[in-house]
């Protein structure tokens, strides 16, 4: 056979045909939740009264009038005795 009867073979770039399959794989996403129990203090006024009893003796001093006529003091010329002796 001669060269004239040979067929020339030309190779082109290949065409790709994809057959895709999918496999599920689990991915874990962690979402942390923090619960915070809060206690709020609210000050409420409570009024408490302390009672104190004070005993007072009020001395009006020497009486001004003896009850005589015209409201004048009686002058007897005598001195009062205090109950103490002088030495």
């Amino acid at each position: 056979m001669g060269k004239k009867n040979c067929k020339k073979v030309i190779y082109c770039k290949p065409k790709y045909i994809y057959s895709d399959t999918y496999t599920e794989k689990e991915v874990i996403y962690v979402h942390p939740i923090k619960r915070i129990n809060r206690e709020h203090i609210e000050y409420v006024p409570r009024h408490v009264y302390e009672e104190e009893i004070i005993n007072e003796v009020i001395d009006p001093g020497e009486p001004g009038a003896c009850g005589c006529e015209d409201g004048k003091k009686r002058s007897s010329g005598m001195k009062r005795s205090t109950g103490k002796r002088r030495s």
Side-chain angles (χ1 to χ4, degrees):
M1 290 199 165
K3 287 186 179 185
K4 291 182 182 182
N5 290 341
C6 280
K7 293 185 179 180
K8 189 174 180 183
V9 179
I10 301 176
Y11 287 95
C12 298
K13 292 184 180 180
K15 293 186 179 186
Y16 295 97
I17 299 173
Y18 294 98
S19 175
D20 293 332
T21 58
Y22 294 93
T23 304
E24 290 184 358
K25 184 171 182 181
E26 190 177 76
V27 177
I28 299 174
Y29 290 93
V30 177
H31 300 275
I33 296 174
K34 294 182 180 183
R35 294 188 188 269
I36 300 171
N37 295 323
R38 300 188 314 178
E39 180 179 353
H40 298 274
I41 296 174
E42 184 175 328
Y43 292 103
V44 179
R46 186 179 124 205
H47 300 280
V48 178
Y49 299 94
E50 290 183 7
E51 185 177 14
E52 182 178 354
I53 298 174
I54 299 172
N55 295 321
E56 292 183 343
V57 176
I58 302 191
D59 184 8
E62 196 173 311
C66 66
C68 300
E69 295 178 15
D70 300 330
K72 295 181 181 176
K73 278 187 171 182
R74 192 176 359 172
S75 58
S76 64
M78 294 179 64
K79 290 187 179 180
R80 285 188 171 181
S81 172
T82 60
K84 293 184 181 177
R85 287 188 173 178
R86 290 187 180 180
S87 46

